Amino acid sequence: MKKLPVGLQDFKKLQMHGYLYVDKTRYLYEMAKESTPFFLSRPRRFGKSLTVSTLKYLFQGEKSLFQDTWIYDRWDWNTRYPVVHISLTEVDTDGPDPVKRGLLFQIQRTADAFGVSLTQDHYKYAFSELLEKLARRERVIILIDEYDKPILDHLHEPALADAIRGVLRNFYSTIKDADP
């Protein structure tokens, strides 16, 4: 009997260590073929992070992880997309400036992983520069996990939550502007 993946959020770890996986790849395939932005909102502890992780490995072309899933014989494994995976659980949410620094850190880490040199040191402009440079290679996949955590951490402090929301709004507008 397979182990239950309680608390596991990484698809690769789940597959490599023989945990039970309920195959949702058919739905991910249909979503990916739409080629339009998707916003997934589900209750806490409902598998959003695992879904984001699964999408990451799918777009990175890690075929071996998908053996025995619906998508295995249907996906074009020869195309590997640059995946920008940002998890806001890793960002310090003590205020707008720590959020900005946290976003910039994740952007720089992603750029380093792709061997991309960034000239910008502002979180919004660095993100735009990263997307532009990666798009020269292939269509870019952007995955943002826990997109609202910095705001939710401060619901009891409306002024701080609003200031952080402004930072995130500014950051997310980069994605809209990068659509072409």
Side-chain angles (χ1 to χ4, degrees):
M1 175 178 260
K2 291 190 172 203
K3 301 175 278 189
L4 294 177
V6 178
L8 269 180
Q9 300 173 3
D10 184 67
F11 180 73
K12 187 175 200 170
K13 185 182 289 185
L14 187 138
Q15 293 294 77
M16 300 290 285
H17 297 286
Y19 285 91
L20 179 67
Y21 175 68
V22 177
D23 188 8
K24 299 176 288 255
T25 59
R26 180 180 191 155
Y27 305 107
L28 298 181
Y29 177 84
E30 291 171 12
M31 227 173 57
K33 292 302 170 189
E34 282 292 317
S35 74
T36 57
F38 274 89
F39 173 77
L40 298 176
S41 178
R42 294 170 22 188
R44 288 188 47 72
R45 311 302 310 154
F46 213 80
K48 293 181 298 291
S49 294
L50 178 59
T51 300
V52 168
S53 172
T54 306
L55 285 166
K56 175 179 131 180
Y57 294 116
L58 181 65
F59 283 112
Q60 287 176 341
E62 297 201 28
K63 183 179 182 178
S64 64
L65 295 177
F66 292 89
Q67 192 165 0
D68 299 325
T69 64
W70 182 90
I71 206 165
Y72 186 78
D73 294 326
R74 294 168 176 90
W75 189 256
D76 175 11
W77 298 105
N78 295 320
T79 304
R80 294 174 183 221
Y81 299 90
V83 176
V84 176
H85 179 209
I86 295 174
S87 175
L88 294 183
T89 58
E90 296 181 28
V91 171
D92 179 353
T93 65
D94 286 343
D97 288 335
V99 170
K100 291 175 187 178
R101 286 192 301 275
L103 290 169
L104 183 59
F105 173 77
Q106 289 202 28
I107 293 161
Q108 186 60 58
R109 184 173 58 188
T110 302
D112 292 346
F114 283 105
V116 171
S117 177
L118 298 178
T119 60
Q120 299 296 320
D121 62 358
H122 182 280
Y123 72 105
K124 179 179 174 58
Y125 304 132
F127 189 38
S128 179
E129 182 182 9
L130 173 66
L131 296 178
E132 183 180 312
K133 288 181 175 180
L134 290 177
R136 292 178 190 157
R137 301 177 184 183
E138 181 61 68
R139 188 172 127 214
V140 178
I141 305 302
I142 304 168
L143 302 172
I144 300 177
D145 198 12
E146 299 288 342
Y147 71 96
D148 58 351
K149 183 187 181 304
I151 297 167
L152 294 177
D153 285 353
H154 298 286
L155 286 180
H156 60 287
E157 302 169 279
L160 184 54
D162 193 49
I164 291 172
R165 182 181 20 220
V167 170
L168 293 177
R169 183 184 310 119
N170 196 24
F171 178 69
Y172 295 143
S173 71
T174 304
I175 298 169
K176 182 180 178 189
D177 293 344
D179 190 39

